[in-house]
Amino acid sequence: MTQLSNQTAIITGASSGIGEAIAHRLADQGANVVLAARRSERLQELSADIEKQYGTKAKVVETDVTNKEEVENLVKEAYDSFGSVDIFVNNAGVMLLSFLKNDHVEEWEQMVDVNIKGVLYGIHAALPTMLEQGSGHMINVSSVAGHEVFPSSTVYSATKYAVKALSMGMEKELASTNVRVTNISPGAVDTELTDHITDDDVLEMFKDRSMTPLNAEDIAAAVTYAVTQPKNVNVNEVIVRPLNQS
Ligand code: NDP
């Protein structure tokens, strides 16, 4: 019997990086996992790997988190399949770093849509079920950039400060319920996140960057720590950054 046996964990952004690593870790702890993202082929491969490795169920629900109805459907499918929604990991995100002077306004909008509205839709879709159940755990993935603003991270940081504010507000509002809230703030992690940056000045700046990033598993370990504490322990904030990231 592992710590999360019979629990259902929904993970957004499970098709790569941190979300994929979280799905592995939670399944390893015995949870049935519901995998959400847009790239469903990658989710199908992950689902097969998880079911083979850990013997738990891994359900795929193709979801664009910027679409409210799709996120509602994600939670409904999870509940209909497994009968509860115990953990919801609001992990899907984009980091389209750019300098304001370069005016990447469509990318600003995309970050607001995925990083803020996507998280709000996750709360909207999952929280009522958790309140009705009288238990649940919302994990919101913010960032070190949700605590500090770096050159070119202005808009990304604005979205991640918003995630932190949502976590803090939920923590206060839900303190008298049995719904726990954890805000996870990673520093640099080796994933596909930076592949989508288009600002030439940022790409040039990154050439001189000498830092050894964390692995996605380092963040998944922090999530696992939070969700496996005794039920009265509410781990509200975890900041994890590489030793050599200032
Ligand atoms: P990846 O790019 O590897 O993963 C991002 C995930 O988000 C993918 O699974 C992607 O899936 C999903 N996603 C993006 N847009 C949407 C959308 N509209 N609907 C549904 N899913 C979407 O990066 P990471 O694993 O690094 O990022 C995960 C989280 O961690 C993000 O919130 C990020 O901001 C945060 N973070 C990452 C850090 C890092 O250094 N890597 C540092 C701090 C925070 P798909 O494209 O298939 O839809």
Side-chain angles (χ1 to χ4, degrees):
M1 184 88 166
T2 39
Q3 292 214 53
L4 301 178
S5 290
N6 300 319
Q7 296 207 21
T8 311
I10 300 174
I11 301 117
T12 69
S15 58
S16 61
I18 293 170
E20 180 179 345
I22 293 171
H24 270 285
R25 276 281 193 147
L26 299 187
D28 189 31
Q29 287 294 321
N32 292 318
V33 290
V34 181
L35 311 170
R38 294 165 303 175
R39 288 171 294 176
S40 58
E41 324 76 54
R42 288 178 68 151
L43 296 178
Q44 293 293 357
E45 281 171 30
L46 175 63
S47 163
D49 276 0
I50 285 177
E51 293 198 343
K52 194 165 153 207
Q53 279 190 55
Y54 313 109
T56 59
K57 297 274 179 230
K59 184 179 175 63
V60 170
V61 184
E62 185 178 325
T63 308
D64 184 334
V65 298
T66 67
N67 182 312
K68 186 172 64 176
E69 287 73 29
E70 289 189 21
V71 184
E72 288 169 347
N73 176 61
L74 165 65
V75 172
K76 185 179 181 313
E77 291 232 13
Y79 190 85
D80 289 350
S81 299
F82 301 118
S84 66
V85 175
D86 304 290
I87 298 166
F88 190 101
V89 188
N90 260 316
N91 165 73
V94 284
M95 184 183 75
L96 305 167
L97 299 179
S98 65
F99 290 97
L100 295 176
K101 66 182 170 101
N102 293 337
D103 196 23
H104 288 233
V105 65
E106 285 85 12
E107 295 185 347
W108 303 346
E109 289 173 331
Q110 193 187 344
M111 286 192 285
V112 168
D113 287 345
V114 179
N115 300 359
I116 304 180
K117 289 176 78 175
V119 169
L120 284 171
Y121 292 157
I123 296 166
H124 154 74
L127 186 58
T129 303
M130 291 182 177
L131 290 172
E132 201 168 310
Q133 289 170 173
S135 69
H137 199 144
M138 297 288 307
I139 305 273
N140 296 325
V141 180
S142 176
S143 172
V144 161
H147 296 258
E148 303 165 34
V149 185
F150 306 96
S152 82
S153 85
T154 309
V155 179
Y156 178 67
S157 282
T159 67
K160 292 300 187 178
Y161 271 77
V163 173
K164 181 172 157 56
L166 290 170
S167 298
M168 289 176 76
M170 290 173 77
E171 170 210 325
K172 302 285 178 290
E173 183 180 331
L174 301 174
S176 60
T177 72
N178 286 325
V179 177
R180 301 190 288 181
V181 182
T182 302
N183 193 64
I184 301 274
S185 296
V189 184
D190 185 16
T191 68
E192 298 171 17
L193 195 68
T194 52
D195 295 357
H196 311 290
I197 296 171
T198 65
D199 187 314
D200 290 336
D201 292 337
V202 174
L203 295 171
E204 190 59 37
M205 183 175 73
F206 269 25
K207 279 188 188 157
D208 299 330
R209 210 177 178 211
S210 65
M211 186 202 301
T212 310
L214 298 174
N215 295 315
E217 290 70 26
D218 299 319
I219 308 306
V223 171
T224 307
Y225 166 77
V227 297
T228 55
Q229 293 308 298
K231 288 292 177 199
N232 65 322
V233 177
N234 204 5
V235 179
N236 296 136
E237 176 73 56
V238 184
I239 304 177
V240 190
R241 73 176 97 199
L243 189 55
N244 58 357
Q245 180 180 359
S246 56

